[in-house]
Amino acid sequence: MMYPFMTLNDDTEITHSEMRADGRVKVYIETPDEKDGFHNAICYLPDYKWENINGYSDMEMSYFKKLIRENAHLIMEFSQEGGILSAANF
């Protein structure tokens, strides 16, 4: 199951999985693009392993890498609590 984490001003969606038995969390980034459909990338925490990067420039990926690194502690916590909405008791 994937949980919503953040929506950016350009409609980029960042979601994450539950924490897996091995302690890893999948973070999925997806941005709609009228020409190509979607750009996307996957990061696995806590080791910050990136894969399946499609359509993003080096500058965009630098931004996403910083954003995920700065928020990894929250994503890891929420992954154990059923997502941000469950963690906030909504």
Side-chain angles (χ1 to χ4, degrees):
M1 173 150 199
M2 297 297 282
Y3 299 103
F5 177 67
M6 182 182 294
T7 302
L8 304 179
N9 289 342
D10 66 352
D11 292 327
T12 295
E13 294 283 339
I14 301 174
T15 60
H16 65 83
S17 68
E18 298 172 336
M19 184 174 284
R20 298 175 178 182
D22 64 1
R24 295 177 74 202
V25 176
K26 177 181 177 180
V27 178
Y28 182 72
I29 301 171
E30 180 179 84
T31 307
D33 181 290
E34 291 180 19
K35 180 182 172 193
D36 299 323
F38 288 95
H39 297 178
N40 58 305
I42 295 171
C43 178
Y44 287 96
L45 298 175
D47 51 354
Y48 301 97
K49 180 181 179 201
W50 288 88
E51 58 185 48
N52 297 335
I53 299 169
N54 298 301
Y56 291 122
S57 68
D58 290 341
M59 180 189 282
E60 289 169 318
M61 284 308 302
S62 291
Y63 171 79
F64 291 135
K65 288 177 180 180
K66 182 179 181 200
L67 180 69
I68 297 304
R69 190 165 293 274
E70 290 175 349
N71 289 281
H73 65 289
L74 295 172
I75 295 169
M76 295 296 288
E77 179 181 335
F78 297 151
S79 73
Q80 298 175 69
E81 299 179 12
I84 192 170
L85 297 178
S86 291
N89 293 319
F90 287 118

mmCIF file of all heavy atoms in Angstrom, residues 36-78:
data_model
loop_
_atom_site.group_PDB
_atom_site.id
_atom_site.type_symbol
_atom_site.label_atom_id
_atom_site.label_comp_id
_atom_site.label_asym_id
_atom_site.label_seq_id
_atom_site.Cartn_x
_atom_site.Cartn_y
_atom_site.Cartn_z
ATOM 1 N N ASP A 36 4.522 13.891 -22.164
ATOM 2 C CA ASP A 36 5.004 12.529 -21.954
ATOM 3 C C ASP A 36 4.129 11.687 -21.036
ATOM 4 O O ASP A 36 4.420 10.517 -20.818
ATOM 5 C CB ASP A 36 6.413 12.563 -21.341
ATOM 6 C CG ASP A 36 7.419 13.256 -22.249
ATOM 7 O OD1 ASP A 36 7.329 13.098 -23.469
ATOM 8 O OD2 ASP A 36 8.298 13.961 -21.709
ATOM 9 N N GLY A 37 3.102 12.257 -20.477
ATOM 10 C CA GLY A 37 2.266 11.527 -19.523
ATOM 11 C C GLY A 37 2.702 11.794 -18.095
ATOM 12 O O GLY A 37 2.118 12.604 -17.402
ATOM 13 N N PHE A 38 3.777 11.132 -17.653
ATOM 14 C CA PHE A 38 4.287 11.319 -16.300
ATOM 15 C C PHE A 38 5.798 11.169 -16.280
ATOM 16 O O PHE A 38 6.359 10.396 -17.043
ATOM 17 C CB PHE A 38 3.705 10.263 -15.336
ATOM 18 C CG PHE A 38 2.264 10.479 -15.012
ATOM 19 C CD1 PHE A 38 1.271 9.830 -15.723
ATOM 20 C CD2 PHE A 38 1.893 11.335 -13.989
ATOM 21 C CE1 PHE A 38 -0.067 10.020 -15.437
ATOM 22 C CE2 PHE A 38 0.547 11.542 -13.681
ATOM 23 C CZ PHE A 38 -0.424 10.878 -14.406
ATOM 24 N N HIS A 39 6.427 11.914 -15.380
ATOM 25 C CA HIS A 39 7.818 11.688 -15.023
ATOM 26 C C HIS A 39 7.767 11.004 -13.668
ATOM 27 O O HIS A 39 6.869 11.269 -12.868
ATOM 28 C CB HIS A 39 8.582 13.001 -14.906
ATOM 29 C CG HIS A 39 8.656 13.757 -16.192
ATOM 30 N ND1 HIS A 39 9.269 14.977 -16.302
ATOM 31 C CD2 HIS A 39 8.180 13.482 -17.435
ATOM 32 C CE1 HIS A 39 9.191 15.416 -17.544
ATOM 33 N NE2 HIS A 39 8.521 14.523 -18.254
ATOM 34 N N ASN A 40 8.714 10.136 -13.394
ATOM 35 C CA ASN A 40 8.673 9.431 -12.124
ATOM 36 C C ASN A 40 10.059 8.979 -11.687
ATOM 37 O O ASN A 40 10.984 8.904 -12.493
ATOM 38 C CB ASN A 40 7.721 8.241 -12.183
ATOM 39 C CG ASN A 40 8.102 7.259 -13.258
ATOM 40 O OD1 ASN A 40 8.238 7.626 -14.421
ATOM 41 N ND2 ASN A 40 8.290 6.012 -12.895
ATOM 42 N N ALA A 41 10.164 8.687 -10.378
ATOM 43 C CA ALA A 41 11.397 8.166 -9.792
ATOM 44 C C ALA A 41 11.044 7.421 -8.516
ATOM 45 O O ALA A 41 10.022 7.712 -7.875
ATOM 46 C CB ALA A 41 12.375 9.295 -9.492
ATOM 47 N N ILE A 42 11.877 6.469 -8.157
ATOM 48 C CA ILE A 42 11.698 5.692 -6.935
ATOM 49 C C ILE A 42 12.963 5.821 -6.092
ATOM 50 O O ILE A 42 14.076 5.752 -6.623
ATOM 51 C CB ILE A 42 11.434 4.210 -7.249
ATOM 52 C CG1 ILE A 42 10.106 4.060 -7.997
ATOM 53 C CG2 ILE A 42 11.443 3.368 -5.973
ATOM 54 C CD1 ILE A 42 9.850 2.666 -8.534
ATOM 55 N N CYS A 43 12.765 5.994 -4.793
ATOM 56 C CA CYS A 43 13.872 6.003 -3.842
ATOM 57 C C CYS A 43 13.544 5.027 -2.726
ATOM 58 O O CYS A 43 12.394 4.985 -2.258
ATOM 59 C CB CYS A 43 14.061 7.404 -3.256
ATOM 60 S SG CYS A 43 15.367 7.506 -2.015
ATOM 61 N N TYR A 44 14.535 4.242 -2.309
ATOM 62 C CA TYR A 44 14.351 3.344 -1.170
ATOM 63 C C TYR A 44 15.120 3.888 0.020
ATOM 64 O O TYR A 44 16.322 4.168 -0.079
ATOM 65 C CB TYR A 44 14.830 1.924 -1.508
ATOM 66 C CG TYR A 44 13.888 1.214 -2.436
ATOM 67 C CD1 TYR A 44 14.115 1.204 -3.804
ATOM 68 C CD2 TYR A 44 12.745 0.581 -1.960
ATOM 69 C CE1 TYR A 44 13.243 0.568 -4.671
ATOM 70 C CE2 TYR A 44 11.868 -0.056 -2.827
ATOM 71 C CZ TYR A 44 12.125 -0.054 -4.171
ATOM 72 O OH TYR A 44 11.254 -0.680 -5.035
ATOM 73 N N LEU A 45 14.379 4.082 1.110
ATOM 74 C CA LEU A 45 14.980 4.521 2.369
ATOM 75 C C LEU A 45 15.176 3.305 3.247
ATOM 76 O O LEU A 45 14.436 2.337 3.117
ATOM 77 C CB LEU A 45 14.049 5.529 3.066
ATOM 78 C CG LEU A 45 13.781 6.821 2.306
ATOM 79 C CD1 LEU A 45 12.763 7.658 3.064
ATOM 80 C CD2 LEU A 45 15.063 7.605 2.094
ATOM 81 N N PRO A 46 16.100 3.285 4.140
ATOM 82 C CA PRO A 46 16.955 4.393 4.576
ATOM 83 C C PRO A 46 18.266 4.513 3.806
ATOM 84 O O PRO A 46 19.077 5.381 4.122
ATOM 85 C CB PRO A 46 17.237 4.043 6.041
ATOM 86 C CG PRO A 46 17.292 2.565 6.064
ATOM 87 C CD PRO A 46 16.249 2.130 5.045
ATOM 88 N N ASP A 47 18.483 3.699 2.770
ATOM 89 C CA ASP A 47 19.775 3.734 2.075
ATOM 90 C C ASP A 47 19.819 4.706 0.895
ATOM 91 O O ASP A 47 20.860 4.816 0.247
ATOM 92 C CB ASP A 47 20.202 2.333 1.639
ATOM 93 C CG ASP A 47 19.126 1.589 0.863
ATOM 94 O OD1 ASP A 47 18.003 2.088 0.738
ATOM 95 O OD2 ASP A 47 19.417 0.477 0.392
ATOM 96 N N TYR A 48 18.714 5.419 0.620
ATOM 97 C CA TYR A 48 18.663 6.422 -0.455
ATOM 98 C C TYR A 48 19.073 5.846 -1.810
ATOM 99 O O TYR A 48 19.771 6.485 -2.587
ATOM 100 C CB TYR A 48 19.533 7.648 -0.118
ATOM 101 C CG TYR A 48 19.109 8.329 1.146
ATOM 102 C CD1 TYR A 48 19.755 8.060 2.348
ATOM 103 C CD2 TYR A 48 18.052 9.228 1.157
ATOM 104 C CE1 TYR A 48 19.367 8.668 3.531
ATOM 105 C CE2 TYR A 48 17.646 9.850 2.335
ATOM 106 C CZ TYR A 48 18.304 9.562 3.512
ATOM 107 O OH TYR A 48 17.910 10.169 4.668
ATOM 108 N N LYS A 49 18.615 4.653 -2.100
ATOM 109 C CA LYS A 49 18.888 4.017 -3.393
ATOM 110 C C LYS A 49 17.826 4.483 -4.391
ATOM 111 O O LYS A 49 16.638 4.222 -4.207
ATOM 112 C CB LYS A 49 18.869 2.498 -3.264
ATOM 113 C CG LYS A 49 19.156 1.812 -4.571
ATOM 114 C CD LYS A 49 19.114 0.317 -4.469
ATOM 115 C CE LYS A 49 19.391 -0.257 -5.847
ATOM 116 N NZ LYS A 49 18.905 -1.604 -5.949
ATOM 117 N N TRP A 50 18.265 5.163 -5.444
ATOM 118 C CA TRP A 50 17.363 5.685 -6.468
ATOM 119 C C TRP A 50 17.348 4.746 -7.665
ATOM 120 O O TRP A 50 18.385 4.219 -8.070
ATOM 121 C CB TRP A 50 17.815 7.075 -6.908
ATOM 122 C CG TRP A 50 17.565 8.103 -5.860
ATOM 123 C CD1 TRP A 50 18.405 8.445 -4.833
ATOM 124 C CD2 TRP A 50 16.404 8.907 -5.707
ATOM 125 N NE1 TRP A 50 17.828 9.403 -4.056
ATOM 126 C CE2 TRP A 50 16.597 9.719 -4.567
ATOM 127 C CE3 TRP A 50 15.219 9.018 -6.408
ATOM 128 C CZ2 TRP A 50 15.648 10.634 -4.136
ATOM 129 C CZ3 TRP A 50 14.267 9.929 -5.980
ATOM 130 C CH2 TRP A 50 14.472 10.733 -4.855
ATOM 131 N N GLU A 51 16.149 4.578 -8.249
ATOM 132 C CA GLU A 51 16.027 3.765 -9.457
ATOM 133 C C GLU A 51 14.812 4.201 -10.258
ATOM 134 O O GLU A 51 13.992 4.984 -9.790
ATOM 135 C CB GLU A 51 15.956 2.277 -9.119
ATOM 136 C CG GLU A 51 14.824 1.887 -8.217
ATOM 137 C CD GLU A 51 14.883 0.408 -7.833
ATOM 138 O OE1 GLU A 51 15.943 -0.088 -7.444
ATOM 139 O OE2 GLU A 51 13.826 -0.228 -7.928
ATOM 140 N N ASN A 52 14.727 3.686 -11.468
ATOM 141 C CA ASN A 52 13.600 3.965 -12.374
ATOM 142 C C ASN A 52 13.320 5.465 -12.498
ATOM 143 O O ASN A 52 12.180 5.902 -12.401
ATOM 144 C CB ASN A 52 12.344 3.227 -11.917
ATOM 145 C CG ASN A 52 12.510 1.731 -11.951
ATOM 146 O OD1 ASN A 52 13.313 1.206 -12.700
ATOM 147 N ND2 ASN A 52 11.766 1.033 -11.119
ATOM 148 N N ILE A 53 14.369 6.237 -12.749
ATOM 149 C CA ILE A 53 14.230 7.687 -12.932
ATOM 150 C C ILE A 53 13.883 7.934 -14.391
ATOM 151 O O ILE A 53 14.647 7.590 -15.293
ATOM 152 C CB ILE A 53 15.526 8.416 -12.537
ATOM 153 C CG1 ILE A 53 15.832 8.152 -11.060
ATOM 154 C CG2 ILE A 53 15.405 9.908 -12.833
ATOM 155 C CD1 ILE A 53 17.217 8.591 -10.622
ATOM 156 N N ASN A 54 12.715 8.519 -14.621
ATOM 157 C CA ASN A 54 12.223 8.741 -15.985
ATOM 158 C C ASN A 54 11.725 10.170 -16.152
ATOM 159 O O ASN A 54 10.781 10.583 -15.473
ATOM 160 C CB ASN A 54 11.067 7.782 -16.295
ATOM 161 C CG ASN A 54 11.495 6.337 -16.229
ATOM 162 O OD1 ASN A 54 12.377 5.925 -16.950
ATOM 163 N ND2 ASN A 54 10.877 5.582 -15.334
ATOM 164 N N GLY A 55 12.364 10.926 -17.062
ATOM 165 C CA GLY A 55 11.867 12.229 -17.460
ATOM 166 C C GLY A 55 12.361 13.413 -16.649
ATOM 167 O O GLY A 55 12.127 14.554 -17.036
ATOM 168 N N TYR A 56 13.032 13.200 -15.534
ATOM 169 C CA TYR A 56 13.512 14.307 -14.707
ATOM 170 C C TYR A 56 14.922 14.725 -15.126
ATOM 171 O O TYR A 56 15.767 13.882 -15.429
ATOM 172 C CB TYR A 56 13.532 13.927 -13.224
ATOM 173 C CG TYR A 56 12.169 13.747 -12.611
ATOM 174 C CD1 TYR A 56 11.807 12.549 -12.015
ATOM 175 C CD2 TYR A 56 11.229 14.770 -12.612
ATOM 176 C CE1 TYR A 56 10.566 12.368 -11.434
ATOM 177 C CE2 TYR A 56 9.983 14.609 -12.040
ATOM 178 C CZ TYR A 56 9.657 13.410 -11.449
ATOM 179 O OH TYR A 56 8.419 13.240 -10.877
ATOM 180 N N SER A 57 15.168 16.031 -15.088
ATOM 181 C CA SER A 57 16.501 16.565 -15.377
ATOM 182 C C SER A 57 17.411 16.359 -14.160
ATOM 183 O O SER A 57 16.939 16.029 -13.062
ATOM 184 C CB SER A 57 16.406 18.064 -15.684
ATOM 185 O OG SER A 57 16.030 18.774 -14.505
ATOM 186 N N ASP A 58 18.700 16.579 -14.344
ATOM 187 C CA ASP A 58 19.646 16.489 -13.234
ATOM 188 C C ASP A 58 19.301 17.515 -12.150
ATOM 189 O O ASP A 58 19.406 17.223 -10.960
ATOM 190 C CB ASP A 58 21.081 16.709 -13.714
ATOM 191 C CG ASP A 58 21.595 15.555 -14.560
ATOM 192 O OD1 ASP A 58 21.019 14.440 -14.488
ATOM 193 O OD2 ASP A 58 22.577 15.763 -15.297
ATOM 194 N N MET A 59 18.869 18.699 -12.561
ATOM 195 C CA MET A 59 18.506 19.740 -11.600
ATOM 196 C C MET A 59 17.273 19.320 -10.786
ATOM 197 O O MET A 59 17.241 19.488 -9.564
ATOM 198 C CB MET A 59 18.231 21.069 -12.303
ATOM 199 C CG MET A 59 17.856 22.199 -11.342
ATOM 200 S SD MET A 59 17.274 23.689 -12.165
ATOM 201 C CE MET A 59 18.809 24.389 -12.689
ATOM 202 N N GLU A 60 16.279 18.758 -11.460
ATOM 203 C CA GLU A 60 15.087 18.281 -10.751
ATOM 204 C C GLU A 60 15.441 17.162 -9.779
ATOM 205 O O GLU A 60 14.966 17.142 -8.635
ATOM 206 C CB GLU A 60 14.034 17.792 -11.751
ATOM 207 C CG GLU A 60 13.392 18.912 -12.535
ATOM 208 C CD GLU A 60 12.551 18.410 -13.688
ATOM 209 O OE1 GLU A 60 12.978 17.460 -14.400
ATOM 210 O OE2 GLU A 60 11.462 18.976 -13.891
ATOM 211 N N MET A 61 16.299 16.257 -10.201
ATOM 212 C CA MET A 61 16.684 15.152 -9.323
ATOM 213 C C MET A 61 17.484 15.652 -8.125
ATOM 214 O O MET A 61 17.320 15.128 -7.014
ATOM 215 C CB MET A 61 17.461 14.087 -10.092
ATOM 216 C CG MET A 61 16.580 13.219 -10.969
ATOM 217 S SD MET A 61 15.148 12.486 -10.115
ATOM 218 C CE MET A 61 15.944 11.564 -8.805
ATOM 219 N N SER A 62 18.303 16.653 -8.312
ATOM 220 C CA SER A 62 19.029 17.245 -7.172
ATOM 221 C C SER A 62 18.047 17.794 -6.151
ATOM 222 O O SER A 62 18.218 17.609 -4.944
ATOM 223 C CB SER A 62 19.963 18.361 -7.639
ATOM 224 O OG SER A 62 21.017 17.841 -8.388
ATOM 225 N N TYR A 63 17.000 18.455 -6.640
ATOM 226 C CA TYR A 63 15.961 18.987 -5.757
ATOM 227 C C TYR A 63 15.256 17.857 -5.006
ATOM 228 O O TYR A 63 15.092 17.914 -3.785
ATOM 229 C CB TYR A 63 14.955 19.807 -6.563
ATOM 230 C CG TYR A 63 13.752 20.207 -5.758
ATOM 231 C CD1 TYR A 63 13.815 21.271 -4.866
ATOM 232 C CD2 TYR A 63 12.550 19.512 -5.864
ATOM 233 C CE1 TYR A 63 12.716 21.636 -4.098
ATOM 234 C CE2 TYR A 63 11.451 19.865 -5.103
ATOM 235 C CZ TYR A 63 11.540 20.926 -4.230
ATOM 236 O OH TYR A 63 10.452 21.273 -3.470
ATOM 237 N N PHE A 64 14.845 16.817 -5.726
ATOM 238 C CA PHE A 64 14.130 15.707 -5.084
ATOM 239 C C PHE A 64 15.019 14.968 -4.082
ATOM 240 O O PHE A 64 14.558 14.580 -3.012
ATOM 241 C CB PHE A 64 13.582 14.724 -6.119
ATOM 242 C CG PHE A 64 12.456 15.283 -6.942
ATOM 243 C CD1 PHE A 64 12.432 15.106 -8.314
ATOM 244 C CD2 PHE A 64 11.408 15.982 -6.357
ATOM 245 C CE1 PHE A 64 11.391 15.614 -9.079
ATOM 246 C CE2 PHE A 64 10.364 16.490 -7.110
ATOM 247 C CZ PHE A 64 10.363 16.309 -8.474
ATOM 248 N N LYS A 65 16.274 14.775 -4.425
ATOM 249 C CA LYS A 65 17.183 14.087 -3.506
ATOM 250 C C LYS A 65 17.331 14.866 -2.206
ATOM 251 O O LYS A 65 17.305 14.287 -1.114
ATOM 252 C CB LYS A 65 18.541 13.858 -4.168
ATOM 253 C CG LYS A 65 18.483 12.781 -5.236
ATOM 254 C CD LYS A 65 19.803 12.609 -5.947
ATOM 255 C CE LYS A 65 19.686 11.521 -7.008
ATOM 256 N NZ LYS A 65 20.934 11.308 -7.733
ATOM 257 N N LYS A 66 17.442 16.175 -2.313
ATOM 258 C CA LYS A 66 17.535 17.019 -1.106
ATOM 259 C C LYS A 66 16.227 16.970 -0.328
ATOM 260 O O LYS A 66 16.221 16.838 0.899
ATOM 261 C CB LYS A 66 17.888 18.449 -1.501
ATOM 262 C CG LYS A 66 18.039 19.370 -0.313
ATOM 263 C CD LYS A 66 18.402 20.776 -0.729
ATOM 264 C CE LYS A 66 18.546 21.625 0.528
ATOM 265 N NZ LYS A 66 18.439 23.024 0.296
ATOM 266 N N LEU A 67 15.113 17.080 -1.019
ATOM 267 C CA LEU A 67 13.801 17.065 -0.373
ATOM 268 C C LEU A 67 13.573 15.759 0.387
ATOM 269 O O LEU A 67 13.133 15.768 1.544
ATOM 270 C CB LEU A 67 12.699 17.260 -1.418
ATOM 271 C CG LEU A 67 11.267 17.268 -0.914
ATOM 272 C CD1 LEU A 67 10.998 18.516 -0.073
ATOM 273 C CD2 LEU A 67 10.297 17.199 -2.083
ATOM 274 N N ILE A 68 13.880 14.646 -0.236
ATOM 275 C CA ILE A 68 13.683 13.347 0.420
ATOM 276 C C ILE A 68 14.637 13.198 1.595
ATOM 277 O O ILE A 68 14.248 12.750 2.678
ATOM 278 C CB ILE A 68 13.841 12.189 -0.591
ATOM 279 C CG1 ILE A 68 12.758 12.271 -1.675
ATOM 280 C CG2 ILE A 68 13.814 10.839 0.118
ATOM 281 C CD1 ILE A 68 11.330 12.294 -1.176
ATOM 282 N N ARG A 69 15.894 13.597 1.432
ATOM 283 C CA ARG A 69 16.858 13.490 2.529
ATOM 284 C C ARG A 69 16.410 14.326 3.730
ATOM 285 O O ARG A 69 16.508 13.883 4.871
ATOM 286 C CB ARG A 69 18.244 13.925 2.056
ATOM 287 C CG ARG A 69 19.326 13.601 3.068
ATOM 288 C CD ARG A 69 20.721 13.681 2.476
ATOM 289 N NE ARG A 69 21.010 12.667 1.486
ATOM 290 C CZ ARG A 69 21.456 11.447 1.747
ATOM 291 N NH1 ARG A 69 21.634 11.067 2.989
ATOM 292 N NH2 ARG A 69 21.709 10.596 0.784
ATOM 293 N N GLU A 70 15.882 15.524 3.480
ATOM 294 C CA GLU A 70 15.449 16.397 4.572
ATOM 295 C C GLU A 70 14.171 15.906 5.253
ATOM 296 O O GLU A 70 13.875 16.322 6.376
ATOM 297 C CB GLU A 70 15.258 17.822 4.065
ATOM 298 C CG GLU A 70 16.564 18.502 3.703
ATOM 299 C CD GLU A 70 16.389 19.870 3.091
ATOM 300 O OE1 GLU A 70 15.241 20.257 2.739
ATOM 301 O OE2 GLU A 70 17.409 20.566 2.928
ATOM 302 N N ASN A 71 13.416 15.063 4.587
ATOM 303 C CA ASN A 71 12.151 14.578 5.135
ATOM 304 C C ASN A 71 12.138 13.080 5.409
ATOM 305 O O ASN A 71 11.105 12.531 5.795
ATOM 306 C CB ASN A 71 11.004 14.935 4.176
ATOM 307 C CG ASN A 71 10.725 16.408 4.179
ATOM 308 O OD1 ASN A 71 10.083 16.922 5.078
ATOM 309 N ND2 ASN A 71 11.252 17.112 3.184
ATOM 310 N N ALA A 72 13.262 12.424 5.233
ATOM 311 C CA ALA A 72 13.330 10.968 5.387
ATOM 312 C C ALA A 72 12.886 10.525 6.780
ATOM 313 O O ALA A 72 12.193 9.515 6.914
ATOM 314 C CB ALA A 72 14.730 10.465 5.092
ATOM 315 N N HIS A 73 13.261 11.275 7.806
ATOM 316 C CA HIS A 73 12.873 10.880 9.167
ATOM 317 C C HIS A 73 11.354 10.864 9.331
ATOM 318 O O HIS A 73 10.808 9.994 10.001
ATOM 319 C CB HIS A 73 13.531 11.794 10.206
ATOM 320 C CG HIS A 73 13.090 13.217 10.149
ATOM 321 N ND1 HIS A 73 13.445 14.080 9.121
ATOM 322 C CD2 HIS A 73 12.301 13.923 10.980
ATOM 323 C CE1 HIS A 73 12.890 15.267 9.335
ATOM 324 N NE2 HIS A 73 12.191 15.198 10.458
ATOM 325 N N LEU A 74 10.666 11.804 8.704
ATOM 326 C CA LEU A 74 9.200 11.832 8.763
ATOM 327 C C LEU A 74 8.604 10.676 7.964
ATOM 328 O O LEU A 74 7.680 10.004 8.425
ATOM 329 C CB LEU A 74 8.666 13.160 8.223
ATOM 330 C CG LEU A 74 9.031 14.392 9.022
ATOM 331 C CD1 LEU A 74 8.604 15.650 8.275
ATOM 332 C CD2 LEU A 74 8.401 14.340 10.408
ATOM 333 N N ILE A 75 9.123 10.450 6.775
ATOM 334 C CA ILE A 75 8.621 9.362 5.938
ATOM 335 C C ILE A 75 8.801 8.022 6.653
ATOM 336 O O ILE A 75 7.882 7.192 6.675
ATOM 337 C CB ILE A 75 9.320 9.358 4.564
ATOM 338 C CG1 ILE A 75 8.954 10.633 3.783
ATOM 339 C CG2 ILE A 75 8.947 8.114 3.767
ATOM 340 C CD1 ILE A 75 9.780 10.862 2.529
ATOM 341 N N MET A 76 9.961 7.827 7.256
ATOM 342 C CA MET A 76 10.214 6.570 7.976
ATOM 343 C C MET A 76 9.232 6.410 9.138
ATOM 344 O O MET A 76 8.693 5.328 9.364
ATOM 345 C CB MET A 76 11.661 6.528 8.477
ATOM 346 C CG MET A 76 12.703 6.495 7.372
ATOM 347 S SD MET A 76 12.658 5.026 6.345
ATOM 348 C CE MET A 76 13.309 3.814 7.478
ATOM 349 N N GLU A 77 8.979 7.485 9.853
ATOM 350 C CA GLU A 77 8.027 7.429 10.977
ATOM 351 C C GLU A 77 6.616 7.141 10.475
ATOM 352 O O GLU A 77 5.928 6.262 10.997
ATOM 353 C CB GLU A 77 8.054 8.748 11.742
ATOM 354 C CG GLU A 77 7.090 8.793 12.905
ATOM 355 C CD GLU A 77 7.106 10.112 13.641
ATOM 356 O OE1 GLU A 77 8.115 10.835 13.604
ATOM 357 O OE2 GLU A 77 6.067 10.438 14.264
ATOM 358 N N PHE A 78 6.175 7.876 9.469
ATOM 359 C CA PHE A 78 4.817 7.695 8.949
ATOM 360 C C PHE A 78 4.630 6.312 8.336
ATOM 361 O O PHE A 78 3.521 5.767 8.357
ATOM 362 C CB PHE A 78 4.473 8.769 7.922
ATOM 363 C CG PHE A 78 4.469 10.175 8.473
ATOM 364 C CD1 PHE A 78 4.780 11.246 7.663
ATOM 365 C CD2 PHE A 78 4.160 10.437 9.797
ATOM 366 C CE1 PHE A 78 4.777 12.549 8.151
ATOM 367 C CE2 PHE A 78 4.159 11.726 10.299
ATOM 368 C CZ PHE A 78 4.468 12.791 9.469
#
